[in-house]
């Protein structure tokens, strides 16, 4: 907690923190950022189905549930995508100055 408070003071931003022990992960603080998105009717229907079934209380919560589900099941693919993005960033840095 001391490290998080110091980081908040130093960087002027709220800090989320948690602990990883082996395969277990626990977050003690959570920061939520509002996100605006445009969804078509079929996509909104998916969120509304999650609400009607009791999985989520709102469209915001339903969308967060969907994102967590993708993150959980597509971890390998997302990791590979992040590595590719890092490679592209490295190539851009080595390229000619604009």
């Amino acid at each position: 907690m001391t490290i998080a408070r110091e980081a908040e003071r130093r960087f002027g931003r709220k800090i989320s923190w948690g602990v990883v022990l082996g395969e277990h992960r626990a977050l003690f603080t959570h920061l939520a950022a509002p996100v605006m998105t445009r969804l078509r009717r079929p996509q909104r229907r998916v969120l509304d189905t999650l609400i009607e079934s009791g999985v989520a209380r709102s469209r915001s919560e339903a969308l967060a549930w969907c994102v967590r589900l993708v993150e959980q099941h597509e971890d390998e693919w997302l990791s590979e995508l992040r590595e590719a993005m890092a490679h592209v960033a490295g190539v851009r840095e080595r390229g000619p100055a604009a």
Side-chain angles (χ1 to χ4, degrees):
M1 291 182 348
T2 303
I3 294 170
R5 278 195 294 270
E6 175 62 25
E8 287 176 357
R9 186 190 64 72
R10 180 179 292 179
F11 301 113
R13 300 179 79 175
K14 293 303 276 176
I15 304 293
S16 267
W17 64 278
V19 174
V20 175
L21 179 62
E23 294 183 19
H24 300 286
R25 177 181 170 181
L27 294 177
F28 296 103
T29 58
H30 304 276
L31 298 178
V35 177
M36 189 172 98
T37 184
R38 296 181 190 275
L39 300 175
R40 299 198 183 280
R41 187 175 304 266
Q43 296 161 333
R44 290 192 312 265
R45 203 172 316 133
V46 169
L47 299 181
D48 292 341
T49 300
L50 293 172
I51 294 166
E52 291 168 13
S53 67
V55 171
R57 292 175 291 183
S58 66
R59 283 182 174 170
S60 174
E61 192 175 290
L63 186 56
W65 183 87
C66 291
V67 169
R68 283 192 306 273
L69 190 65
V70 169
E71 179 184 42
Q72 189 176 40
H73 292 286
E74 298 296 331
D75 191 42
E76 184 178 328
W77 180 81
L78 289 173
S79 294
E80 188 177 332
L81 184 59
R82 287 185 187 106
E83 288 174 17
M85 291 170 21
H87 178 71
V88 168
V91 171
R92 282 184 181 152
E93 288 176 9
R94 293 190 306 273

